[in-house]
Amino acid sequence: MTDQLSSGDRSAACDELFKTLSDGTRRALLEYLVKEGEQSVHALTAISAVSQPMVSRHLGKLKRARLVTARRAGRETYYSARVKGLAPVVQWMAIYGALWSQRFTALEELAEPA
Amino acid sequence: MTDQLSSGDRSAACDELFKTLSDGTRRALLEYLVKEGEQSVHALTAISAVSQPMVSRHLGKLKRARLVTARRAGRETYYSARVKGLAPVVQWMAIYGALWSQRFTALEELAEPA
DNA sequence: TCCATTCATAACAACATGGTTATGACTTTG
DNA sequence: CAAAGTCATAACCATGTTGTTATGAATGGA
């Protein structure tokens, strides 16, 4: 129980989540799925700046991180965003404790464009 | 201006932040700084599983991501957490819009261990 | 002054990552 | 059946990452 630092399990989930989210192309794919709903690989390739195999691999990583789900229909595969997959990240944010809940609005304002 | 997906500026900040946070050692350092306050490299090395040069490099990346600040005092360098540095990540989370604010508590519960 | 402490950097090895093109499996359609 | 569309995987390259050990630059103290 001496997990003062390396909380060896939950930390692994955060590792994968943060690493997955650290790529702009993957975040763009995820954003698109969140905004537009279920999309085929073909459609996602169309809006991406990289090749179709790369899109497939990015989607594979998103799927492995449980940030998307895949549904196969005929020769097409439809991917959907899975928001709940962000839970470990949200939980990690809780290390900021009061800072988080109390200053959330402050951060929100700070984050506002104009 | 055709940044339908690659919102080329804010995205860069998220890239660096997520990439920085994707390493467990760095997250552990940051957590420690948040919980225990300002610490010297020596102290941070003591609680880390890696060598002192590696701790310095991790701290360098955290500093570059603006997640910590450094204060030099004699031969020691004291690092502090900089919570505001998380703002771009919080802002990015806003792509989930209503999902974020409305389901925040749901996610919190979901994230709860027991 | 001389030595120990503290920290950062350089050099290197091992490995992972993002990108490409080529190809194969499968499905729909003509 | 044959051809075209959709997706995933393999092979490969270039680059970046984490980790190490060795070393150098300052600072503090005997």
Side-chain angles (χ1 to χ4, degrees):
Chain A
M1 301 287 181
T2 65
D3 58 0
Q4 48 166 170
L5 279 194
S6 63
S7 19
D9 194 16
R10 177 169 308 155
S11 183
C14 280
D15 263 44
E16 185 163 35
L17 277 175
F18 278 122
K19 189 173 271 182
T20 302
L21 293 172
S22 74
D23 183 273
T25 302
R26 278 192 295 265
R27 282 201 312 281
L29 288 170
L30 191 54
E31 289 181 40
Y32 194 77
L33 289 175
V34 168
K35 291 178 185 169
E36 305 295 329
E38 195 181 54
Q39 298 287 332
S40 70
V41 175
H42 189 66
L44 292 172
T45 300
I47 58 107
S48 290
V50 294
S51 60
Q52 174 267 314
M54 205 58 215
V55 171
S56 279
R57 258 173 52 183
H58 280 312
L59 288 170
K61 293 201 172 190
L62 285 166
K63 186 178 166 194
R64 201 173 225 174
R66 301 181 55 78
L67 285 170
V68 302
T69 58
R71 175 181 73 88
R72 199 124 170 236
R75 57 184 168 183
E76 306 188 345
T77 306
Y78 290 95
Y79 284 86
S80 306
R82 185 173 167 278
V83 180
K84 285 179 191 170
L86 280 176
V89 169
V90 172
Q91 183 178 4
W92 179 82
M93 295 280 189
I95 69 161
Y96 293 95
L99 290 172
W100 180 252
S101 45
Q102 286 175 18
R103 301 192 188 173
F104 184 81
T105 44
L107 279 169
E108 240 178 357
E109 289 170 353
L110 196 153
E112 220 132 78
Chain B
M1 300 280 188
T2 65
D3 56 2
Q4 46 167 175
L5 278 194
S6 63
S7 18
D9 193 18
R10 178 168 307 156
S11 183
C14 280
D15 264 43
E16 185 163 33
L17 276 175
F18 278 123
K19 188 174 272 182
T20 301
L21 293 172
S22 73
D23 183 275
T25 302
R26 277 193 294 266
R27 281 200 314 280
L29 288 169
L30 191 55
E31 288 180 40
Y32 194 76
L33 289 175
V34 167
K35 291 178 185 170
E36 304 295 328
E38 194 182 54
Q39 298 286 332
S40 70
V41 175
H42 188 66
L44 292 171
T45 300
I47 57 106
S48 289
V50 294
S51 61
Q52 174 267 312
M54 205 55 216
V55 171
S56 279
R57 259 174 50 186
H58 279 313
L59 289 170
K61 295 203 171 189
L62 285 166
K63 187 179 164 193
R64 202 174 223 175
R66 299 181 56 78
L67 285 170
V68 302
T69 58
R71 175 180 72 88
R72 198 122 170 238
R75 57 184 168 184
E76 305 188 344
T77 305
Y78 289 95
Y79 284 86
S80 305
R82 186 174 166 278
V83 179
K84 285 179 191 169
L86 280 176
V89 169
V90 173
Q91 184 179 2
W92 179 82
M93 294 279 189
I95 69 163
Y96 293 97
L99 290 172
W100 180 253
S101 45
Q102 287 174 17
R103 302 194 186 172
F104 184 81
T105 44
L107 279 168
E108 242 177 354
E109 290 171 353
L110 197 152
E112 220 132 78

